[in-house]
Amino acid sequence: MSGTESVARTVAIIGAGTMGRRIAYGCAARGVRARLYDISEEALAGALVAVRALLETADEGDGPGATHGLVEACRDLDECVREADWVIETVHEDLELKRVVLGRIGAAAPAAAFIASNTSSLPGSWLAESTGRPGRFTNMNFGPPEDLKVEVMGHPGTDPATIAAAKRFLRRLGLVPIVARREIQGYPTNRIWRAVKKESLHLIAGGYLSAEEIDRAWMLDWGTPIGPCGVMDVVGLDIVRAIENVYYKASGDPSDKPPDFLDRMVERGELGVKSGKGFYTYPSPAFEREGWLTTSDD
């Protein structure tokens, strides 16, 4: 690797949950070696199965297993990041946990490696010093595999060369970097989604509309195949709650506090797609059924 002009050949992903798997798949599908680490052996094994299943589609026409060798599981964090050009942290949305993990990454990764956090709500300025290389640290917020957009948000100490390297890396993966001009909690365009999410939760909590009514109206208005509550199910309702709690702790505004019904859903294990039940049941949620869109709840 030759500093900021290098091409990303190896990406270490710390955290093998929904987003870690998505990033690993995106890398391997584009010929970039992906190394996954998670403290949970079960999560790591499940991630490897899930990513390789996704790669089956990418391998069509190239022979079986063409991209499988590009993703591997690591059972030691230091070993995972040792040869990385980029290290992407995707652990739970917890400030202190992320600081600890980023500290370990910074201590073990090559001096020339760039480090990114996939955090949804924590500004990079809250995290950067933990890495020991704040100039080479930025936030990058990935979406689901079909989403081409990735928000990139540096902090006041991020080197411009780091942002340039992030843009090159994301374009290498066939993605579209949207670069924030200034740091703001939650990323600029992600805050637009957050406003929709927050208001949807408020309407459900207040008994104004059901999750299905909100989604049906949204899908009819905007012509999308999924509504806000369906998207929250994809993200994971535990993640949604954690993100809302970050905003609430930062602002102290009671309107930012996640509603009680969301707490109860998470406590019951109704986390969305990953648990089989959230606002909808999975697989085959109601909004995918023929005729559902034009059928009123009455």
PDB file of all heavy atoms in Angstrom, residues 158-174:
ATOM      1  N   THR A 158     -10.393  15.731   9.975  1.00  0.00           N
ATOM      2  CA  THR A 158     -10.168  14.760   8.899  1.00  0.00           C
ATOM      3  C   THR A 158      -9.338  15.393   7.782  1.00  0.00           C
ATOM      4  O   THR A 158      -9.658  16.481   7.302  1.00  0.00           O
ATOM      5  CB  THR A 158     -11.501  14.265   8.308  1.00  0.00           C
ATOM      6  OG1 THR A 158     -12.279  13.675   9.341  1.00  0.00           O
ATOM      7  CG2 THR A 158     -11.258  13.229   7.216  1.00  0.00           C
ATOM      8  N   ASP A 159      -8.281  14.711   7.359  1.00  0.00           N
ATOM      9  CA  ASP A 159      -7.474  15.202   6.240  1.00  0.00           C
ATOM     10  C   ASP A 159      -8.288  15.148   4.953  1.00  0.00           C
ATOM     11  O   ASP A 159      -8.998  14.157   4.700  1.00  0.00           O
ATOM     12  CB  ASP A 159      -6.226  14.343   6.049  1.00  0.00           C
ATOM     13  CG  ASP A 159      -5.235  14.492   7.190  1.00  0.00           C
ATOM     14  OD1 ASP A 159      -5.291  15.515   7.901  1.00  0.00           O
ATOM     15  OD2 ASP A 159      -4.419  13.565   7.379  1.00  0.00           O
ATOM     16  N   PRO A 160      -8.204  16.170   4.100  1.00  0.00           N
ATOM     17  CA  PRO A 160      -8.887  16.110   2.802  1.00  0.00           C
ATOM     18  C   PRO A 160      -8.497  14.864   2.007  1.00  0.00           C
ATOM     19  O   PRO A 160      -9.325  14.313   1.273  1.00  0.00           O
ATOM     20  CB  PRO A 160      -8.428  17.397   2.109  1.00  0.00           C
ATOM     21  CG  PRO A 160      -8.122  18.339   3.228  1.00  0.00           C
ATOM     22  CD  PRO A 160      -7.554  17.473   4.325  1.00  0.00           C
ATOM     23  N   ALA A 161      -7.256  14.408   2.161  1.00  0.00           N
ATOM     24  CA  ALA A 161      -6.811  13.211   1.434  1.00  0.00           C
ATOM     25  C   ALA A 161      -7.591  11.976   1.874  1.00  0.00           C
ATOM     26  O   ALA A 161      -7.780  11.040   1.089  1.00  0.00           O
ATOM     27  CB  ALA A 161      -5.311  12.987   1.650  1.00  0.00           C
ATOM     28  N   THR A 162      -8.050  11.961   3.109  1.00  0.00           N
ATOM     29  CA  THR A 162      -8.846  10.833   3.597  1.00  0.00           C
ATOM     30  C   THR A 162     -10.206  10.810   2.916  1.00  0.00           C
ATOM     31  O   THR A 162     -10.695   9.742   2.523  1.00  0.00           O
ATOM     32  CB  THR A 162      -9.009  10.917   5.129  1.00  0.00           C
ATOM     33  OG1 THR A 162      -7.716  10.865   5.738  1.00  0.00           O
ATOM     34  CG2 THR A 162      -9.867   9.780   5.658  1.00  0.00           C
ATOM     35  N   ILE A 163     -10.807  11.974   2.768  1.00  0.00           N
ATOM     36  CA  ILE A 163     -12.096  12.050   2.067  1.00  0.00           C
ATOM     37  C   ILE A 163     -11.918  11.637   0.605  1.00  0.00           C
ATOM     38  O   ILE A 163     -12.738  10.907   0.049  1.00  0.00           O
ATOM     39  CB  ILE A 163     -12.689  13.468   2.158  1.00  0.00           C
ATOM     40  CG1 ILE A 163     -12.925  13.864   3.626  1.00  0.00           C
ATOM     41  CG2 ILE A 163     -13.974  13.573   1.349  1.00  0.00           C
ATOM     42  CD1 ILE A 163     -13.897  12.968   4.364  1.00  0.00           C
ATOM     43  N   ALA A 164     -10.840  12.087  -0.013  1.00  0.00           N
ATOM     44  CA  ALA A 164     -10.575  11.710  -1.410  1.00  0.00           C
ATOM     45  C   ALA A 164     -10.395  10.197  -1.522  1.00  0.00           C
ATOM     46  O   ALA A 164     -10.895   9.562  -2.462  1.00  0.00           O
ATOM     47  CB  ALA A 164      -9.331  12.437  -1.921  1.00  0.00           C
ATOM     48  N   ALA A 165      -9.676   9.597  -0.560  1.00  0.00           N
ATOM     49  CA  ALA A 165      -9.478   8.145  -0.580  1.00  0.00           C
ATOM     50  C   ALA A 165     -10.800   7.414  -0.364  1.00  0.00           C
ATOM     51  O   ALA A 165     -11.054   6.374  -0.981  1.00  0.00           O
ATOM     52  CB  ALA A 165      -8.473   7.748   0.498  1.00  0.00           C
ATOM     53  N   ALA A 166     -11.660   7.947   0.506  1.00  0.00           N
ATOM     54  CA  ALA A 166     -12.969   7.329   0.740  1.00  0.00           C
ATOM     55  C   ALA A 166     -13.806   7.348  -0.525  1.00  0.00           C
ATOM     56  O   ALA A 166     -14.473   6.361  -0.862  1.00  0.00           O
ATOM     57  CB  ALA A 166     -13.690   8.063   1.865  1.00  0.00           C
ATOM     58  N   LYS A 167     -13.769   8.432  -1.253  1.00  0.00           N
ATOM     59  CA  LYS A 167     -14.530   8.529  -2.499  1.00  0.00           C
ATOM     60  C   LYS A 167     -14.016   7.520  -3.524  1.00  0.00           C
ATOM     61  O   LYS A 167     -14.803   6.854  -4.202  1.00  0.00           O
ATOM     62  CB  LYS A 167     -14.449   9.961  -3.048  1.00  0.00           C
ATOM     63  CG  LYS A 167     -15.235  10.967  -2.213  1.00  0.00           C
ATOM     64  CD  LYS A 167     -14.861  12.404  -2.528  1.00  0.00           C
ATOM     65  CE  LYS A 167     -15.294  12.833  -3.898  1.00  0.00           C
ATOM     66  NZ  LYS A 167     -15.002  14.271  -4.134  1.00  0.00           N
ATOM     67  N   ARG A 168     -12.691   7.386  -3.641  1.00  0.00           N
ATOM     68  CA  ARG A 168     -12.129   6.408  -4.576  1.00  0.00           C
ATOM     69  C   ARG A 168     -12.531   4.993  -4.186  1.00  0.00           C
ATOM     70  O   ARG A 168     -12.899   4.163  -5.032  1.00  0.00           O
ATOM     71  CB  ARG A 168     -10.607   6.507  -4.618  1.00  0.00           C
ATOM     72  CG  ARG A 168     -10.065   7.735  -5.318  1.00  0.00           C
ATOM     73  CD  ARG A 168      -8.581   7.571  -5.636  1.00  0.00           C
ATOM     74  NE  ARG A 168      -7.783   7.355  -4.435  1.00  0.00           N
ATOM     75  CZ  ARG A 168      -7.281   8.329  -3.679  1.00  0.00           C
ATOM     76  NH1 ARG A 168      -7.531   9.596  -3.989  1.00  0.00           N
ATOM     77  NH2 ARG A 168      -6.538   8.051  -2.625  1.00  0.00           N
ATOM     78  N   PHE A 169     -12.460   4.697  -2.897  1.00  0.00           N
ATOM     79  CA  PHE A 169     -12.806   3.375  -2.397  1.00  0.00           C
ATOM     80  C   PHE A 169     -14.268   3.039  -2.699  1.00  0.00           C
ATOM     81  O   PHE A 169     -14.585   1.962  -3.218  1.00  0.00           O
ATOM     82  CB  PHE A 169     -12.535   3.334  -0.893  1.00  0.00           C
ATOM     83  CG  PHE A 169     -13.145   2.160  -0.176  1.00  0.00           C
ATOM     84  CD1 PHE A 169     -12.916   0.859  -0.607  1.00  0.00           C
ATOM     85  CD2 PHE A 169     -13.933   2.355   0.943  1.00  0.00           C
ATOM     86  CE1 PHE A 169     -13.469  -0.225   0.078  1.00  0.00           C
ATOM     87  CE2 PHE A 169     -14.483   1.286   1.625  1.00  0.00           C
ATOM     88  CZ  PHE A 169     -14.260  -0.003   1.180  1.00  0.00           C
ATOM     89  N   LEU A 170     -15.165   3.959  -2.416  1.00  0.00           N
ATOM     90  CA  LEU A 170     -16.590   3.698  -2.623  1.00  0.00           C
ATOM     91  C   LEU A 170     -16.917   3.560  -4.107  1.00  0.00           C
ATOM     92  O   LEU A 170     -17.719   2.702  -4.495  1.00  0.00           O
ATOM     93  CB  LEU A 170     -17.424   4.812  -1.983  1.00  0.00           C
ATOM     94  CG  LEU A 170     -17.352   4.849  -0.450  1.00  0.00           C
ATOM     95  CD1 LEU A 170     -17.991   6.116   0.090  1.00  0.00           C
ATOM     96  CD2 LEU A 170     -18.002   3.608   0.160  1.00  0.00           C
ATOM     97  N   ARG A 171     -16.282   4.364  -4.936  1.00  0.00           N
ATOM     98  CA  ARG A 171     -16.515   4.221  -6.378  1.00  0.00           C
ATOM     99  C   ARG A 171     -15.977   2.887  -6.885  1.00  0.00           C
ATOM    100  O   ARG A 171     -16.538   2.294  -7.814  1.00  0.00           O
ATOM    101  CB  ARG A 171     -15.868   5.395  -7.116  1.00  0.00           C
ATOM    102  CG  ARG A 171     -16.640   6.705  -6.918  1.00  0.00           C
ATOM    103  CD  ARG A 171     -15.933   7.882  -7.534  1.00  0.00           C
ATOM    104  NE  ARG A 171     -16.683   9.119  -7.330  1.00  0.00           N
ATOM    105  CZ  ARG A 171     -16.123  10.292  -7.074  1.00  0.00           C
ATOM    106  NH1 ARG A 171     -14.799  10.398  -6.994  1.00  0.00           N
ATOM    107  NH2 ARG A 171     -16.873  11.361  -6.904  1.00  0.00           N
ATOM    108  N   ARG A 172     -14.902   2.412  -6.267  1.00  0.00           N
ATOM    109  CA  ARG A 172     -14.372   1.073  -6.615  1.00  0.00           C
ATOM    110  C   ARG A 172     -15.422  -0.004  -6.350  1.00  0.00           C
ATOM    111  O   ARG A 172     -15.484  -1.016  -7.045  1.00  0.00           O
ATOM    112  CB  ARG A 172     -13.116   0.824  -5.774  1.00  0.00           C
ATOM    113  CG  ARG A 172     -12.559  -0.595  -5.834  1.00  0.00           C
ATOM    114  CD  ARG A 172     -11.866  -0.860  -7.155  1.00  0.00           C
ATOM    115  NE  ARG A 172     -11.267  -2.180  -7.178  1.00  0.00           N
ATOM    116  CZ  ARG A 172     -11.918  -3.313  -7.462  1.00  0.00           C
ATOM    117  NH1 ARG A 172     -13.210  -3.270  -7.748  1.00  0.00           N
ATOM    118  NH2 ARG A 172     -11.283  -4.471  -7.477  1.00  0.00           N
ATOM    119  N   LEU A 173     -16.280   0.234  -5.350  1.00  0.00           N
ATOM    120  CA  LEU A 173     -17.337  -0.717  -5.018  1.00  0.00           C
ATOM    121  C   LEU A 173     -18.623  -0.464  -5.805  1.00  0.00           C
ATOM    122  O   LEU A 173     -19.637  -1.114  -5.569  1.00  0.00           O
ATOM    123  CB  LEU A 173     -17.648  -0.655  -3.517  1.00  0.00           C
ATOM    124  CG  LEU A 173     -16.502  -0.968  -2.554  1.00  0.00           C
ATOM    125  CD1 LEU A 173     -17.021  -0.997  -1.122  1.00  0.00           C
ATOM    126  CD2 LEU A 173     -15.817  -2.280  -2.903  1.00  0.00           C
ATOM    127  N   GLY A 174     -18.582   0.481  -6.754  1.00  0.00           N
ATOM    128  CA  GLY A 174     -19.764   0.781  -7.553  1.00  0.00           C
ATOM    129  C   GLY A 174     -20.790   1.600  -6.811  1.00  0.00           C
ATOM    130  O   GLY A 174     -21.974   1.629  -7.191  1.00  0.00           O
TER     131      GLY A 174
END
